[in-house]
Amino acid sequence: MAKSFRKKKTAGNQRRNTGSQKKASQSNGLSSAQWQLIIGVFFLVVSLVLVVSFISYLFTGEADQDLVQRNFQSAIDPDHKKAENALGVVGAFISHYFIFKWFGLAAFGLIPLIFLSAFRLIFQQDLFSLNLNRLAKGTIFYVFFISLFLGYFVYHFDMGDGRISGGVGYQLNDMLNHVLGWGSILLIALTLFLWLVFFHGLTRIDNYFLDRWAKKSDTEEVEPEIYQEKKPEPVEEEDSELIAEKPFEGGISFMVDKKKETEEPAIEIVRKQPEKEDENDVKLEVAKETTSFLFEEEDNDKDLEEFGPYDPKLDLGSYQYPPLDLLQNHQGRNADVSDEELEANKRNIVETMRNFSIGISSIKATIGPTVTLYEIVPEAGVRISKIKNLEDDIALNLAALGIRIIAPMPGKGTIGIEVPNKHPELVSVKSVFSNSKFQHTKYELPIVLGKTIANEMFVSDLAKMPHLLMAGATGQGKSVGINVLLASLLFKKHPAEVKFVLVDPKKVELSLFNKIERHFLATLPNAEDAIITDTKKVIYTLNSLCIEMDNRYDLLKDAGVRNIREYNTKFTKRKLNPENGHRYLPYIVLVIDELADLMMTAGKEVEQPIARLAQLARAIGIHLIVATQRPSVNVITGLIKANFPARLSFKVTAKVDSRTILDTGGAEQLVGNGDMLLSMGSDMVRLQCPFIDTPEVDSVCDFIGEQRGYESAYPLPEYYGDDEPDPLEVDMSDLDALFDDAARLLVTFQQGSTSLIQRKMKLGYNRAGRIIDQLEAAGIVGPFEGSKAREVLIKDMEHLEEILRNLKNGH
């Protein structure tokens, strides 16, 4: 019979986190939520007062002028004239100062800001999908600017009175008039222009006209000499801005598909694979006798009704996600592919094919951020292998850095030729993070990988991948790609939901993430640095993760579930008892920035735990991102490679490196600067990695690090390795009080595991480790064997009781 969880009143009981916070708030005064509600209602009242007094002022302002010229104390004297404002003397004074003394009509702009702030504080959500911080900055600027702008006309042309511009706008124009005279309007216009550039990201003044006439200009066809005189009407498709079909000599049709990026692309490229059992997943048997670790159904229902579902985010309930304002709109040079460039590439492809007696019936061009894909349909009877062998010849005729031929295109009856653009586009990380598909994704671990050739955002779920192997030569974008992956998770996940284990042998690439140690990082206990750089510490950390993996599988087995998602769902519904060792399990993402250095210095000591984690850790929420700039076979060994189905390669120096990472060539033909190939099973996708600069990463980490965090980084299990205390040095005269019970427990289960002592006896890892050392010294369990459980040397209870009696008698 399970014990009622309410009878045990431990201070660290996670099951009561909501109820205990309510009781603490009642005993210590108002809670933060109550203060927010009070302030929110106050702001709501203020917004209503302002709107009523301002509107009334427009009709009664002149009548109340003699009243507001006095001081407030004399104005409220009942012997004096009554105020005409709808809110009496208070309304007359408030509107007089805000409109006449300060901002004029622009003061009305403050009312929506105050009202929306009140709505957020009262209902804990925004009325509209907007950034309130950004709205506040914009409102303050435009209130001052409109007052200044209207003040120019009031001052110079006597257009209206002081109520139009307010005292601020009038006085500022008076000052500017002494300096610039009538030319002050130029300074005012310049102020607005700079604001539009820096705050709204204005890049071209004629954007409106370009957007309005884009289709008209794109349909104006330039007729090369080889084209026929008659031009057919352009044909539009559902997912394209323009598809222009132009026949030329020989009867070959040529279509150009100019797919341009929109604020919200209509299609999101994701990897959606059917749920199926992975051969590497550990099969868990549901224990039949688990009633001692579960609540009674009646107790669970009462607890759930009393306290509600467990919320792991409550420990950092005030945590704010990083805003997109921290990112920059990187603007590269004009990346448009001209009609002349398209026509020249098409002509060279056709001529090269004809030189080798290969006929083409049609060509279609799809313009991407880095490369343009030319899909050709060869005439009947042409061998695909013959076209594949022309890769170097086509590259020579096009004078391109390198082209890639896809023969055939997966799922299509065409052959693809990827030709680098002369002016590749710089994809800003802000543009992909602001996309609604990423903003509203329901993935467990959403990561943005880049944009496809069709300018569509490619977002995937790391929890489904489940690990990612990255490679790329120096300077080709590998470190930027890692930063983008980490930033994706920082923008979408709460610190309670995911933890990072960052391994950086180069010591400088991931150092910026030190600032979020108490929010998102996981480290060994008493670690000096949150970012692991020392090879020995890397080995300890990898083995510690293996211990964490084993501990989590024990928890899943006790809970009767198969994966971390089911386990956390069961825990949040208060069906698992924290007093029996159960806890909310965050996802853990292990990032290794340079595997080659670790393999050179540690070899098998690194390879084995990485391979073990890659094989088994998926179900319990530990996922790996491993990167290297040298994808040779002695770095990416067969044991590691076999367990990383998702592989990503930036530009590499040799074809053999491409075959090592992707099992095929092509990565050596990439153009660099974030151009990459992603292999997931049998599919190969070419992507352009978004660019995130170091100051942007710094700003995001600063924003998170300045908020209240946990007391320390997420602790991983201790692992001593060669530094583990020598059991011969254990003082057997000072045995732990629970030594006998622990010995009987291990002999009963025949499993020499520290985690078993922790769970069954409700002890911390350090004390359980000391008991294990004492048990080894007593000859009850065998020596330490890495992540494997120790061997239990005593097989029956009679023999154990004899050993315990001898220890008590000093023998």
Side-chain angles (χ1 to χ4, degrees), residues 161-370:
D161 54 23
R163 290 181 295 178
I164 300 295
S165 63
V168 171
Y170 190 88
Q171 294 298 327
L172 287 175
N173 275 279
D174 182 49
M175 180 184 67
L176 291 175
N177 183 61
H178 288 291
V179 179
L180 295 173
W182 289 80
S184 58
I185 189 64
L186 300 177
L187 181 60
I188 296 174
L190 178 62
T191 303
L192 177 62
F193 171 75
L194 293 176
W195 176 259
L196 294 175
V197 170
F198 289 102
F199 189 79
H200 293 287
L202 179 69
T203 57
R204 298 175 64 178
I205 298 177
D206 58 345
N207 269 347
Y208 172 79
F209 301 101
L210 288 178
D211 293 339
R212 190 174 181 87
W213 295 332
K215 288 189 177 181
K216 181 178 179 180
S217 61
D218 283 341
T219 54
E220 293 177 2
E221 301 175 3
V222 178
E223 183 176 5
E225 294 180 0
I226 59 173
Y227 285 6
Q228 297 179 358
E229 293 183 0
K230 185 178 180 181
K231 298 175 290 184
E233 294 294 327
V235 180
E236 294 190 359
E237 284 187 355
E238 206 174 22
D239 59 345
S240 305
E241 181 183 343
L242 169 67
I243 295 184
E245 183 173 351
K246 311 170 183 181
F248 59 93
E249 63 177 3
I252 303 176
S253 64
F254 179 47
M255 296 186 295
V256 178
D257 187 356
K258 293 188 176 181
K259 297 187 178 181
K260 297 188 177 180
E261 175 190 2
T262 60
E263 184 177 355
E264 296 186 358
I267 302 176
E268 177 185 17
I269 303 299
V270 295
R271 302 296 308 164
K272 294 184 178 178
Q273 298 179 348
E275 293 290 339
K276 59 182 180 180
E277 182 178 342
D278 195 306
E279 62 181 2
N280 292 327
D281 282 350
V282 174
K283 297 181 179 179
L284 298 178
E285 296 181 0
V286 180
K288 295 182 180 179
E289 298 179 358
T290 58
T291 56
S292 60
F293 306 106
L294 303 176
F295 292 107
E296 291 181 344
E297 194 66 30
E298 181 181 355
D299 290 340
N300 172 65
D301 293 340
K302 291 180 180 178
D303 296 333
L304 193 61
E305 181 179 354
E306 180 180 355
F307 301 110
Y310 172 79
D311 186 1
K313 301 179 183 179
L314 281 182
D315 289 338
L316 294 183
S318 60
Y319 175 80
Q320 295 183 358
Y321 292 84
L324 291 173
D325 293 345
L326 299 174
L327 304 176
Q328 303 173 14
N329 280 318
H330 297 285
Q331 299 295 334
R333 55 186 171 181
N334 187 4
D336 291 339
V337 178
S338 64
D339 291 339
E340 291 77 10
E341 181 179 348
L342 289 170
E343 174 61 23
N345 288 341
K346 178 264 303 179
R347 186 184 303 111
N348 289 330
I349 291 173
V350 173
E351 290 178 355
T352 303
M353 296 295 180
R354 285 178 176 172
N355 290 339
F356 290 90
S357 302
I358 298 176
I360 300 174
S361 60
S362 67
I363 301 179
K364 176 184 177 182
T366 304
I367 302 172
T370 305

Side-chain angles (χ1 to χ4, degrees), residues 362-424:
S362 67
I363 301 179
K364 176 184 177 182
T366 304
I367 302 172
T370 305
V371 299
T372 297
L373 173 65
Y374 294 86
E375 294 183 65
I376 64 174
V377 178
E379 293 180 349
V382 177
R383 288 190 175 185
I384 294 179
S385 59
K386 189 175 183 180
I387 299 178
K388 185 74 174 176
N389 294 332
L390 297 179
E391 192 170 71
D392 294 336
D393 298 281
I394 296 175
L396 177 64
N397 283 2
L398 296 177
L401 294 175
I403 67 169
R404 178 170 168 260
I405 294 182
I406 310 169
M409 291 284 292
K412 299 181 179 181
T414 60
I415 294 174
I417 302 177
E418 295 175 348
V419 181
N421 298 334
K422 292 182 179 179
H423 304 295

Side-chain angles (χ1 to χ4, degrees), residues 34-96:
Q34 290 171 316
W35 276 112
Q36 288 184 10
L37 179 61
I38 292 173
I39 297 172
V41 172
F42 173 75
F43 279 3
L44 180 62
V45 172
V46 169
S47 65
L48 294 176
V49 168
L50 291 181
V51 71
V52 173
S53 62
F54 285 6
I55 294 176
S56 180
Y57 178 82
L58 298 178
F59 303 97
T60 64
E62 292 184 3
D64 288 336
Q65 278 298 307
D66 59 335
L67 184 69
V68 296
Q69 297 303 323
R70 309 171 187 168
N71 58 52
F72 184 77
Q73 185 174 0
S74 63
I76 61 176
D77 190 337
D79 294 336
H80 287 91
K81 178 185 175 183
K82 182 181 178 181
E84 296 292 332
N85 193 284
L87 292 183
V89 175
V90 173
F93 269 88
I94 290 176
S95 55
H96 173 72

Side-chain angles (χ1 to χ4, degrees), residues 12 63 157 232 364 577 647 734 738 765 785 792:
F157 303 104
K364 176 184 177 182
N577 192 335
R647 303 173 200 161
D734 185 23
L738 297 176
Y765 187 84
E785 298 183 20
V792 180

